[in-house]
Amino acid sequence: MSLAGSEDRLAAAGAAGPPGAGGADRILLAQPVLLDRGLHDWGQQEPGGPVERPGWLRAVLSSNRAQAQRHGHTMVLRWRPVLMTPHRLAGHCNGTEAGRMRDQCQGRLERENFNWEKERMMLDYLRSPQNFSHVLVLDADAALVHPERDTLSAMSAELRAAGKPLLLTDEDWSGKGRGRINGGLLFAENSHFTRELFEDILDAHWHGYLPEARSLGHSLNCEFNEQLCLNGLWRYSAAFRNRTRVASGRRYNRGGCVLQQCGREGASDARDAGPGTPRPRAGGHPLHGLLETAGAGGPLPRLGQGRHRRRT
């Protein structure tokens, strides 16, 4: 039985044995690394040739694989999207003139839709017969940067302490980002609630709206960006907040701009910005777990393909 799904590649095998063996969790790290249309942030491929990935991306993935191997975690990469664009979005570019303008329209739609592949990967591996205890899904430009710390196990322990099955992070590293969820990190305990939640989120993305999400007991609107969907849930759904831990992005998911300059908002702490910042050390400052690198400029993953709920 393969650790990786049929569309994915195994990067690190992790420790053998079922969840809980020897008191340890069995955690999976999953990253989608997809090729976008026209832009080449994530690599390029000539017809019939190999995929050429940029050096910064290879460095990020190599670092994450080394960390997974060091701490006994499994790591998989998704290099080809599993899902199509939802039918409700697929026709948005039909009214655009053929040629370059239509290609640009389709490229923007594809890149926006790519972001949802994280939620699909999450659901795929929560359902996996490998029965991972926890699944972490990251954007491809997120690097595990602390040289010794087992960040994945730390997140698992944080969920246990909070008594909640889902961990997300905010953008408190940015001047106005406290409480604003960043969709580049999803960490879930494998539970009935999280499996149903990601089924509902994907169904809501496909249809744009669900009259009632089974996991939450109310309607769900995920018509547009997946980060907007998550922030809407955090703001308006008590059922979602009661089961979700939103941790500090400065601790677990810091924007790569802190190494240079964080736009108009700036960094929330002057110690986070400027030359020499990326010197990981214990205690969480300046870099405790993940760093979303400054090497890539846009969103990643994609989604679509109809109904995502498992029928039994």
Side-chain angles (χ1 to χ4, degrees), residues 23-169:
D25 292 323
R26 193 166 182 225
I27 305 176
L28 172 77
L29 166 59
Q31 291 187 271
V33 189
L34 309 179
L35 293 176
D36 52 12
R37 184 192 309 241
L39 298 179
H40 302 300
D41 291 334
W42 313 103
Q44 55 187 318
Q45 183 179 25
E46 298 297 333
V51 176
E52 300 290 339
R53 300 289 187 179
W56 69 265
L57 178 57
R58 293 197 302 271
V60 165
L61 299 177
S62 294
S63 173
N64 292 351
R65 180 176 62 181
Q67 289 279 42
Q69 291 171 331
R70 172 178 295 176
H71 299 295
H73 304 310
T74 302
M75 178 179 173
V76 297
L77 303 175
R78 177 162 292 177
W79 62 278
R80 185 166 59 189
V82 168
L83 300 167
M84 302 179 298
T85 301
H87 295 320
R88 64 184 179 84
L89 299 176
H92 278 198
C93 300
N94 289 346
T96 307
E97 286 186 28
R100 184 177 178 184
M101 293 296 292
R102 179 173 292 184
D103 288 343
Q104 290 177 344
C105 176
Q106 291 172 339
R108 286 193 300 272
L109 179 62
E110 177 187 63
R111 287 189 295 277
E112 185 61 45
N113 205 43
F114 270 6
N115 281 289
W116 290 91
E117 191 79 26
K118 295 189 297 292
E119 280 74 12
R120 179 58 203 240
M121 284 192 83
M122 174 63 79
L123 181 58
D124 286 345
Y125 285 102
L126 289 175
R127 288 173 169 174
S128 168
Q130 292 292 332
N131 196 26
F132 296 104
S133 65
H134 299 78
V135 178
L136 171 63
V137 184
L138 296 176
D139 276 342
D141 61 348
L144 291 157
V145 295
H146 199 288
E148 302 298 335
R149 181 174 175 80
D150 184 354
T151 302
L152 278 64
S153 292
M155 288 192 285
S156 171
E158 187 155 338
L159 278 184
R160 275 194 294 272
K164 298 183 177 184
L166 179 64
L167 186 146
L168 305 173
T169 58

